[in-house]
Amino acid sequence: MINEQEQAIAKIQQTLNHCIQETANMLEDAIGRKTEVLPDEEMVELERSEYIRAVDELADLYSRFPAVRSLKQYMHLSDFLWESTFIESLSKDEKRKWFHSQNLATYTDFCKDNTAFDEAFPYFSVIHKVVVNERYAQYLQERNARRNSAKEIDTAPNAELADSQDTAIVSVPLSDIKKIEYTFESNLTDEQVALLVDCANEVRLFKGDTLTFEQMKSVLDCRPLAMLRPTNNRLLAFFFDQLSNRNHITEKWQAVIARHQLFLSSQKNTPLNQSDISTAVNNVRDMAISGKYARIEHCIRNLKSLEAR
């Protein structure tokens, strides 16, 4: 069931997708029209310069706006805003705007000023530039690949021509690309997992019986033996955030927990969703570390020492 926050993002995504598609269409149409009048050599050079421009602009955007870096591996999805870790990376105030702002701007307004949505939805124009440039660069690569393939066929011996025609390049629609598999991408050894189990039990990370090694391993494998309930959502968020910060698990860990429904909420009889986890993370990232949080931080920092053994 889609919650209110996901519905809010979905509405913005529709507007963003329209802006992206219209701009992409114009860029691709412009290249196509030039093909009709320019010699092949000039087209090759034009496409090369356009590709370099797009890649250089992407490098600049990714450098200046770290929040949009996570979009790259998700932008083939129609709902990449929600599926990526973009929303999770926003500050509290920025996130509140995305969930609750209203903006009456139209696509026409966006064409006149591509920052028309930025006040209500931070980074809107940056996301638009990133996705357009990524798709444009891919489009130019595909044009180049088709051109090179055609040259190979033209120069192939006649005996091989029939076989070459059977291997024509087929463009796969973006909608048919397999969705990303969400995993923790854990690099933890059994000894490190055992230390995490001891730490989790010491701070009483979960309600109920003592956590076992097998249970922790099953969680990290995204195949939990049972759905565990944390004693406190914030404590659980801190635990996994620390693992991610020290590169023991993926930075997309919040999406992994939500997608696989690994834990129950500490206060509700429902699985922790991405909104619950994101809220918990925001609540712990700015607080002073003490007590159980300090113990978790100390434990996870010491995981590195086990790698040298």
Side-chain angles (χ1 to χ4, degrees):
M1 181 176 178
I2 299 178
N3 60 37
E4 291 182 4
Q5 291 183 335
E6 189 170 355
Q7 288 179 332
I9 299 302
K11 290 180 181 178
I12 306 167
Q13 181 83 66
Q14 288 181 339
T15 301
L16 179 59
N17 286 347
H18 179 70
C19 295
I20 290 170
Q21 191 60 56
E22 289 298 314
T23 305
N25 287 344
M26 286 188 287
L27 288 170
E28 293 174 14
D29 183 62
I31 286 291
R33 287 174 177 270
K34 290 170 184 175
T35 301
E36 298 172 1
V37 297
L38 291 178
D40 288 346
E41 295 78 7
E42 289 187 33
M43 280 305 305
V44 169
E45 186 55 38
L46 173 63
E47 290 175 23
R48 181 184 292 112
S49 64
E50 282 288 275
Y51 179 80
I52 292 173
R53 179 198 60 76
V55 170
D56 284 346
E57 185 167 353
L58 282 168
D60 178 62
L61 292 170
Y62 288 140
S63 174
R64 290 193 294 130
F65 305 102
V68 302
R69 293 175 187 169
S70 67
L71 297 175
K72 185 172 182 179
Q73 58 185 313
Y74 296 90
M75 59 183 63
H76 64 281
L77 304 176
S78 61
D79 55 348
F80 61 79
L81 286 175
W82 187 258
E83 294 297 333
S84 70
T85 58
F86 168 71
I87 298 298
E88 300 166 12
S89 68
L90 299 176
S91 68
K92 279 186 180 180
D93 183 57
E94 291 170 340
K95 193 177 298 183
R96 178 186 57 76
K97 288 182 177 182
W98 277 87
F99 288 143
H100 303 296
S101 292
Q102 298 294 324
N103 189 300
L104 300 179
T106 65
Y107 173 67
T108 301
D109 297 322
F110 178 80
C111 290
K112 296 176 182 176
D113 176 10
N114 65 13
T115 66
F117 294 99
D118 284 5
E119 178 59 32
F121 312 119
Y123 303 105
F124 187 100
S125 63
V126 176
I127 297 170
H128 171 266
K129 290 178 183 177
V130 164
V131 179
V132 166
N133 276 304
E134 287 284 6
R135 293 186 179 177
Y136 188 43
Q138 180 182 349
Y139 168 75
L140 293 170
Q141 282 183 312
E142 290 171 352
R143 283 181 61 92
N144 186 59
R146 287 194 295 269
R147 181 186 296 111
N148 290 337
S149 177
K151 287 180 179 178
E152 290 175 4
I153 292 175
D154 287 342
T155 58
N158 291 335
E160 299 177 3
L161 185 56
D163 290 337
S164 299
Q165 290 173 336
D166 290 337
T167 58
I169 294 176
V170 178
S171 179
V172 180
L174 292 177
S175 59
D176 289 345
I177 298 177
K178 183 180 179 181
K179 284 207 170 189
I180 296 168
E181 182 181 357
Y182 289 82
T183 69
F184 281 119
E185 302 171 22
S186 171
N187 59 12
L188 294 164
T189 65
D190 286 351
E191 190 176 8
Q192 289 173 318
V193 173
L195 181 60
L196 289 179
V197 171
D198 290 341
C199 176
N201 286 325
E202 180 182 341
V203 302
R204 295 202 63 235
L205 186 61
F206 299 106
K207 296 180 180 181
D209 297 332
T210 300
L211 181 71
T212 67
F213 175 86
E214 289 73 21
Q215 285 177 314
M216 178 60 82
K217 280 285 288 183
S218 71
V219 166
L220 293 172
D221 291 338
C222 298
R223 294 190 293 271
L225 298 175
M227 190 177 289
L228 301 169
R229 186 193 298 273
T231 54
N232 184 304
N233 290 347
R234 294 189 300 276
L235 199 63
L236 181 76
F238 184 80
F239 184 87
F240 280 93
D241 200 37
Q242 287 292 303
L243 286 173
S244 175
N245 290 342
R246 296 186 181 276
N247 300 316
H248 294 298
I249 61 172
T250 176
E251 63 180 9
K252 302 187 292 293
W253 63 269
Q254 297 182 40
V256 175
I257 290 176
R259 277 308 182 93
H260 292 283
Q261 298 187 339
L262 297 180
F263 305 110
L264 286 170
S265 172
S266 62
Q267 301 297 327
K268 299 179 291 186
N269 243 355
T270 56
L272 276 175
N273 59 41
Q274 201 150 340
S275 176
D276 296 330
I277 303 166
S278 180
T279 298
V281 169
N282 283 332
N283 287 335
V284 299
R285 280 184 174 169
D286 297 327
M287 74 179 197
I289 299 176
S290 62
K292 293 182 177 181
Y293 296 92
R295 179 60 189 138
I296 291 174
E297 194 273 340
H298 175 76
C299 169
I300 293 176
R301 186 176 66 246
N302 285 344
L303 290 176
K304 195 73 175 176
S305 64
L306 298 179
E307 294 179 358
R309 295 185 182 183

